[in-house]
Amino acid sequence: MPAPATAPRSARLHETRCQTCSLSSLCLPLALELSDVDQFDAIIRRRAPLKKGETLFRQGEAFTSVFAVRSGSLKQLASEGNGEDQLTNFYLPSELVGLDAIDDELYPGTVTALETTTVCEIPFDRLDHLSEQLPELRTQLFRSMSKEMRDDRRMMRLLSRKTADERLASFLIGLSNRFRRRGYSAYSFRLSMSRADIGNYLGLAVETVSRILGRFQQQQLVSVAGREVNILDLSALESLAEGDGCL
Amino acid sequence: MPAPATAPRSARLHETRCQTCSLSSLCLPLALELSDVDQFDAIIRRRAPLKKGETLFRQGEAFTSVFAVRSGSLKQLASEGNGEDQLTNFYLPSELVGLDAIDDELYPGTVTALETTTVCEIPFDRLDHLSEQLPELRTQLFRSMSKEMRDDRRMMRLLSRKTADERLASFLIGLSNRFRRRGYSAYSFRLSMSRADIGNYLGLAVETVSRILGRFQQQQLVSVAGREVNILDLSALESLAEGDGCL
DNA sequence: CGGCAGATTGAATGTGGTCAATAGCCGTGG
DNA sequence: CCACGGCTATTGACCACATTCAATCTGCCG
C-alpha cells in the first residue's frame, strides 16, 4: 500500500532524506558527492519504525535488500540445526544489516529490533547497479563488508582466547566506542539488549554475565543499574579487555 | 624484473592462464564469459611458489592485492596487543586471501604457507576498476566476501557453543567438504597444518586436539596417522559436529 | 497488587587448560 | 647406515574457570 501523492502526516515521518540524515557521515553515502547522494537517496526505501521485538526479516527468507539502521538497535539470531540460537551480531545506527546474505540469497539469520528502531531499506540489485556508476559507493560497500570481516575476526579471538571477564570488558569497550563515534556519550549509555542476549553473544551463561558485571561494579570499573551503564574507569577496563591482567 | 619475451623454462611455470586453470569453476572468474576472462586474466600477476613457512604478506603491511590460492594452503595469523597469535583462517585452493584488508588498507594478519603453495596476485585497484565493467565479476566479489562473512558466523557459533569434540568433528567435516568440492577425496586427506595450528584455530589446547583425535580413532570415527586422515564414519562425525550427541 | 520475565546469588559439577614427562618423527651429519 | 638433536605429538595428573541447577530477588506491565 504505497502512500498517496499527498501523504498524511504519519507518512511524512519517513520521508527523511540522506542529505539531512545526521548519520550520513558514517553511513554508506559517506564518500559521495552531493549530486551522487541524490541518486543514492532515490533508491532508498524508508520503512515504518519497528517496535521492540518486531522482526526485520527472518532466517531463510529471500534476500532482496540490505538495511541501514537509522535509529534504535537490532540483533541477529541464527538457529542452526537443532542447536540453540546463536546471537551473531548487534546492529547500531549507521550500520548495515544483511550483507551476509548476498552469497546464497537467503538471510542467514533472523533480525529483531531490541527497541523502537527505524531502518532504511536498500534494494540490493539497485545498490549493486548504482555501485557501477559510483566508484565511491562501491568502495564504501567493499569497505563495509571488509570491516565486518575484520570485526568478525576480532570476535573469534574474543571467543576463543578471552576469559569471561575479558569478554565483558571488551563488549563494554566496544559499545562505548561505537556510541562515541555516533556522537553519544562513551561513558554513560543504556544497554538495549538483555543479559541473556549479551551472554548468548559472548558465549557465556547469563549467570556469568550477571556475576561479572557485579564484580566490575565492586571493583569500581563501572556502575550498572539494570540496563544503565556508567563506565568509571575506562582505561582499566581497556587493559582488562586486552588481557593485560597478567602484567 | 619482468620476464623477457622468450621466457626461460622456470618463468614459463607461472604463465598459466585462468582459461586453463582447473580451479576456474570455483575461483573469481567463475561467472565470466570467455572474452571477459581474458580481461580478468590480464590483471593477474603470477607469483613464484612459496615454500613451506614463507609468508605471503605480514600483518600491518600496506594492502595492495588480494590473492587467489592456486595450489597448496596457507594460514592467517593475527597477533593483537601483547596476547598470543590467533589463527583466523586456513586458505585452500580457489579461495581468496586478503579481502579483510580492504577497509583500512592494511593486512590484518600475517599469511604463511603451510606447504609449497602457489597464488595468483590480483591488484585490488585494478580488480575494483574491472568490476565496474564486468557486473558478473562484481557480483562474484560481493559473494566471496558475503560467504566469508557467513563462514565467520559459523565459526563464531563453533567457538561459543560447541564442545571440543564438536569442534574437532566440525573441523574435519569442513575440510572434507572443501576437499570434495575441489575434486579430492572427501574421506582421505592430509592435514597441512600442525596440531598446534588446529588447536589455535579451534580455540583448544594442543593436548586437547591430540586427545580427542585419539578418542575419535578409538571410536572408529576416523583413523589418524600423523597428518594423514581417513574418515571412517562420516555421518557419525556429522551428527557429532552438529551437537546431536544428546539425542 | 499480583504475576511473570528478567536478573542476581549460591553451591556443586565437569570440561578443558596447564604443567610435566614421554614417545615418535624427520632431517642432518658422522 | 645409524645416531643424534630438535621439534611435534601423545599421554597422564591436577586444577580452575565457567556451566548448571536451584533458589531468591527485582522490576515492570497489566
Side-chain angles (χ1 to χ4, degrees):
Chain A
M1 48 180 112
T6 54
R9 217 166 71 249
S10 66
R12 282 260 168 80
L13 282 173
H14 315 309
E15 280 178 17
T16 337
R17 321 194 68 211
C18 287
Q19 288 87 339
T20 62
C21 177
S22 61
L23 295 168
S24 59
S25 65
L26 296 165
C27 191
L28 260 188
L30 142 177
L32 298 183
E33 303 291 328
L34 223 66
S35 56
D36 295 340
V37 177
D38 277 332
Q39 287 189 70
F40 178 73
D41 194 74
I43 70 172
I44 306 285
R45 286 206 279 257
R46 319 298 163 185
R47 280 267 194 136
L50 293 164
K51 286 201 282 286
K52 179 176 175 174
E54 288 183 338
T55 76
L56 182 57
F57 51 75
R58 293 182 184 281
Q59 180 167 12
E61 281 180 15
F63 167 72
T64 57
S65 303
V66 298
F67 299 85
V69 184
R70 216 175 152 68
S71 70
S73 53
L74 307 119
K75 63 178 174 182
Q76 178 166 57
L77 278 171
S79 48
E80 203 169 323
N82 47 1
E84 281 206 357
D85 289 353
Q86 162 76 12
L87 206 166
T88 53
N89 236 331
F90 294 113
Y91 294 102
L92 296 190
S94 89
E95 295 174 339
L96 288 177
V97 184
L99 291 172
D100 47 4
I102 296 174
D103 182 40
D104 58 7
E105 304 189 37
L106 301 172
Y107 291 108
T110 298
V111 170
T112 309
L114 291 168
E115 58 195 313
T116 302
T117 297
T118 57
V119 299
C120 300
E121 176 173 0
I122 314 173
F124 184 72
D125 52 354
R126 307 193 65 178
L127 178 61
D128 178 43
H129 188 253
L130 191 59
S131 83
E132 192 169 303
Q133 302 154 43
L134 304 179
E136 295 84 4
L137 179 64
R138 190 172 65 239
T139 298
Q140 200 46 41
L141 200 47
F142 282 137
R143 289 193 151 187
S144 297
M145 298 183 78
S146 176
K147 179 172 185 332
E148 201 163 331
M149 289 165 59
R150 261 207 352 273
D151 292 343
D152 288 350
R153 304 289 153 85
R154 189 170 295 131
M155 193 63 194
M156 290 187 216
R157 179 171 183 275
L158 179 146
L159 291 171
S160 75
R161 307 211 99 64
K162 293 193 181 181
T163 66
D165 294 50
E166 289 160 7
R167 293 184 199 192
L168 250 308
S170 301
F171 179 70
L172 292 174
I173 297 283
L175 277 183
S176 169
N177 288 335
R178 283 155 91 186
F179 284 129
R180 193 211 322 275
R181 292 204 62 215
R182 282 162 188 77
Y184 300 108
S185 167
Y187 295 95
S188 178
F189 48 85
R190 176 166 222 286
L191 302 172
S192 57
M193 66 293 286
S194 68
R195 303 287 194 268
D197 286 338
I198 298 174
N200 188 331
Y201 180 61
L202 296 177
L204 298 172
V206 197
E207 296 92 325
T208 309
V209 175
S210 211
R211 267 184 260 273
I212 291 173
L213 284 180
R215 182 141 31 89
F216 281 0
Q217 191 156 222
Q218 280 193 329
Q219 297 166 201
Q220 306 277 323
L221 299 175
V222 296
S223 75
V224 187
R227 294 190 170 186
E228 290 298 333
V229 174
N230 263 288
I231 296 188
L232 302 176
D233 190 342
L234 188 64
S235 60
L237 216 51
E238 274 169 344
S239 58
L240 222 182
E242 291 313 315
D244 298 348
C246 47
L247 290 187
Chain B
M1 45 178 112
T6 55
R9 219 167 67 247
S10 65
R12 281 263 168 79
L13 282 172
H14 315 310
E15 280 179 15
T16 336
R17 321 193 69 210
C18 287
Q19 289 86 340
T20 62
C21 177
S22 62
L23 295 168
S24 59
S25 64
L26 295 165
C27 192
L28 260 189
L30 140 178
L32 298 183
E33 302 291 327
L34 223 66
S35 56
D36 296 340
V37 177
D38 275 332
Q39 286 189 71
F40 178 74
D41 195 74
I43 70 172
I44 305 285
R45 285 207 280 257
R46 320 297 164 182
R47 280 267 194 135
L50 294 164
K51 286 200 282 284
K52 180 175 174 173
E54 289 183 339
T55 77
L56 182 56
F57 51 74
R58 293 183 185 281
Q59 180 167 11
E61 281 179 14
F63 167 72
T64 57
S65 303
V66 298
F67 299 86
V69 184
R70 218 175 149 66
S71 69
S73 54
L74 306 120
K75 63 177 174 183
Q76 180 166 54
L77 279 170
S79 48
E80 202 168 323
N82 48 1
E84 282 206 356
D85 289 353
Q86 163 75 12
L87 206 166
T88 53
N89 236 332
F90 294 112
Y91 294 102
L92 297 190
S94 88
E95 294 174 341
L96 289 176
V97 185
L99 291 173
D100 46 4
I102 296 174
D103 182 40
D104 59 6
E105 306 191 35
L106 301 172
Y107 292 108
T110 298
V111 171
T112 310
L114 292 167
E115 58 196 313
T116 302
T117 296
T118 57
V119 299
C120 300
E121 177 173 0
I122 313 173
F124 184 73
D125 52 355
R126 307 193 64 181
L127 178 61
D128 178 43
H129 188 254
L130 192 59
S131 82
E132 194 167 303
Q133 302 154 43
L134 303 178
E136 295 83 4
L137 179 64
R138 190 173 63 240
T139 299
Q140 199 47 41
L141 200 47
F142 282 137
R143 290 194 149 188
S144 297
M145 298 184 77
S146 176
K147 179 173 185 335
E148 201 161 332
M149 289 165 59
R150 261 207 352 271
D151 291 345
D152 288 350
R153 304 290 153 86
R154 189 171 294 131
M155 193 65 193
M156 290 187 213
R157 178 171 183 275
L158 179 147
L159 291 171
S160 74
R161 304 211 105 58
K162 293 193 182 183
T163 65
D165 294 53
E166 289 160 7
R167 293 184 199 191
L168 249 308
S170 300
F171 178 69
L172 292 174
I173 297 283
L175 277 184
S176 168
N177 288 335
R178 284 156 89 184
F179 283 130
R180 194 213 321 276
R181 292 204 63 214
R182 281 160 189 79
Y184 300 108
S185 167
Y187 295 96
S188 178
F189 48 85
R190 178 166 222 288
L191 302 171
S192 57
M193 66 293 285
S194 69
R195 301 288 194 268
D197 287 338
I198 297 173
N200 189 331
Y201 180 61
L202 296 177
L204 298 172
V206 198
E207 296 92 326
T208 307
V209 175
S210 211
R211 266 185 261 274
I212 290 173
L213 284 180
R215 182 142 29 90
F216 280 1
Q217 190 154 221
Q218 280 193 328
Q219 298 167 202
Q220 307 278 321
L221 298 175
V222 296
S223 74
V224 187
R227 295 190 170 186
E228 291 297 333
V229 173
N230 263 287
I231 296 188
L232 302 176
D233 191 342
L234 188 65
S235 59
L237 215 52
E238 275 168 344
S239 58
L240 221 182
E242 290 314 315
D244 299 348
C246 47
L247 291 188

